[in-house]
Amino acid sequence: MKSGIYGILKAEFCDFDAFLSSKPPLHYKVYKIPKRTIGFRTIAQPTPTLKKIQKTLVGLIEPHVKIHPNAAAYRIGKGVKENALSHVNSSYLLKVDLENFFNSITPHMLFKTLKQQHIEINDVDKYVLEQIFFWNRSRRKNGRLILSIGAPSSPFISNVIMSKFDNDISIICDKKGVSYTRYADDMTFSTKEKDVIFSVMADVRRLLRNNFSNKMNVNELKTIFSSKAHNRRVTGVTLTNDNKISIGRDKKRYISALTHKFKFGKLDISDIYHLKGLISYARHVDVGFIRKLQKKYGVTTLELINKYSSEG
């Protein structure tokens, strides 16, 4: 990639110099949302101007960087369904979570990865990358810059910096007969051989240490082993014992109950839109369930849900 990011952005955004001098890493609205278990997750949402520049910058860089094919998140043609399908034929499953994932990623990691991929950029463009892509959480002068949860560019940057790790662990897993995918901070390993799966953890820790020193770590509390004797889920998708994927029994019952209420006019507007989203997800992951839903409540009912608009 020829260096010239600054020049392109300056031509694209007429006030880019003024914006750059206004400390973009501070241009975030910060709020907290509850986690599924305990505590809160800090979301830093970039301002509309910064978000627009971030998306433009991703477009400039994306054609030149390598992202490993086993990275399943935030990529065209890939998602939770494709991630789950990679593990559907295995008997044993190991799920590993990376702790504080986005907030662990720094400009240094990005520049190191670009160098590994033989992409040279000058100091001016390095400054632009760190100012546009990274967030100053402490708001102190010269505060540590990290990726935020909430910036549209963060998922892309995370896939870039994980590319070497993904490649290294994939080579090891291929030799062991283990399937590996990563969906953001969720790594999934699966195999038909029970004893093999446990040896992977030592490889994960070693490669994280080699690639990121001690700045990227496994969340030991979220390391989960399961088999066909138990409920196996990969990024929210259930793996059935007959080697298929499903949205799961509980979600099916929930959708069915909401559809019943809709048919008899007992859902408010917000719940109808919620149901509309759930059915769209189910149609993508579990077409067999949609057929059963159509048979139970009628094709017309599902069409009405799909076409529903509060504006009439």
Side-chain angles (χ1 to χ4, degrees):
M1 180 176 67
K2 290 183 179 180
S3 194
I5 292 170
Y6 166 73
I8 294 172
L9 291 178
K10 186 175 180 180
E12 181 79 16
F13 300 94
C14 58
D15 295 325
F16 185 67
D17 278 337
F19 182 79
L20 203 58
S21 65
S22 68
K23 302 296 181 186
L26 300 176
H27 290 221
Y28 287 82
K29 178 183 178 182
V30 181
Y31 56 95
K32 294 184 178 182
I33 59 173
K35 289 184 178 180
R36 284 179 294 179
T37 51
I38 300 173
F40 292 86
R41 190 182 308 279
T42 300
I43 306 295
Q45 189 80 27
T47 62
T49 299
L50 178 55
K51 188 180 295 186
K52 186 175 181 180
I53 296 173
Q54 287 173 338
K55 289 179 179 179
T56 300
L57 190 48
V58 167
L60 292 175
I61 296 173
E62 192 168 18
H64 305 280
V65 296
K66 296 175 184 176
I67 294 175
H68 197 274
N70 288 357
Y74 323 114
R75 304 181 69 189
I76 296 173
K78 293 199 174 188
V80 294
K81 176 182 177 180
E82 291 73 22
N83 191 46
L85 284 171
S86 297
H87 304 282
V88 76
N89 293 316
S90 298
S91 301
Y92 301 98
L93 195 72
L94 180 67
K95 296 193 291 184
V96 181
D97 181 83
L98 292 173
E99 191 172 25
N100 202 24
F101 182 57
F102 283 128
N103 293 167
S104 297
I105 296 173
T106 64
H108 172 74
M109 292 180 184
L110 175 59
F111 301 148
K112 179 182 176 182
T113 300
L114 293 177
K115 187 175 181 180
Q116 288 171 343
Q117 295 190 11
H118 308 291
I119 297 172
E120 295 185 8
I121 56 174
N122 60 39
D123 290 342
V124 172
D125 286 347
K126 282 184 178 181
Y127 179 76
V128 171
L129 290 177
E130 70 178 14
Q131 290 295 301
I132 299 302
F133 282 146
F134 293 88
W135 167 47
N136 183 343
R137 184 172 188 169
S138 70
R139 300 189 67 85
R140 297 172 184 166
K141 186 178 180 180
N142 300 321
R144 182 171 176 261
L145 298 180
I146 56 176
L147 282 189
S148 76
I149 302 173
S153 52
S154 292
F156 166 73
I157 296 300
S158 70
N159 277 341
V160 173
I161 74 102
M162 290 296 292
S163 58
K164 187 175 184 301
F165 172 88
D166 289 338
N167 183 69
D168 292 346
I169 195 67
S170 294
I171 291 172
I172 292 171
C173 286
D174 286 345
K175 291 178 180 178
K176 293 184 176 184
V178 174
S179 296
Y180 162 73
T181 61
R182 182 182 55 80
Y183 195 96
D185 56 348
D186 294 322
M187 295 185 287
T188 305
F189 304 87
S190 64
T191 182
K192 293 181 179 179
E193 301 293 332
K194 182 178 181 180
D195 295 336
V196 173
I197 201 88
F198 295 109
S199 69
V200 171
M201 281 305 301
D203 297 314
V204 170
R205 294 190 183 95
R206 174 175 57 81
L207 290 176
L208 286 174
R209 187 168 57 250
N210 290 349
N211 283 281
F212 307 109
S213 299
N214 293 315
K215 295 180 176 65
M216 189 83 71
N217 298 295
V218 169
N219 186 338
E220 303 292 348
L221 295 176
K222 290 187 177 181
T223 298
I224 300 170
F225 169 78
S226 60
S227 68
K228 283 191 172 182
H230 304 89
N231 185 26
R232 296 175 302 146
R233 293 172 67 83
V234 176
T235 48
V237 178
T238 297
L239 306 184
T240 66
N241 285 348
D242 58 349
N243 299 336
K244 295 179 181 179
I245 59 174
S246 166
I247 61 172
R249 187 180 304 168
D250 291 343
K251 190 160 286 185
K252 287 179 181 179
R253 288 175 177 170
Y254 180 56
I255 292 173
S256 184
L258 290 179
T259 304
H260 176 83
K261 289 182 178 180
F262 173 86
K263 187 172 183 177
F264 292 97
K266 295 182 179 180
L267 280 188
D268 61 28
I269 291 173
S270 62
D271 285 336
I272 294 173
Y273 279 114
H274 176 54
L275 174 59
K276 189 175 179 179
L278 288 171
I279 288 177
S280 177
Y281 169 74
R283 187 175 284 111
H284 176 63
V285 174
D286 197 340
V287 177
F289 168 68
I290 294 297
R291 294 195 189 102
K292 291 179 181 178
L293 209 61
Q294 289 172 332
K295 186 176 181 180
K296 186 173 183 179
Y297 297 106
V299 173
T300 303
T301 299
L302 266 68
E303 287 179 347
L304 288 172
I305 294 169
N306 185 51
K307 294 177 181 178
Y308 180 82
S309 170
S310 59
E311 297 177 358

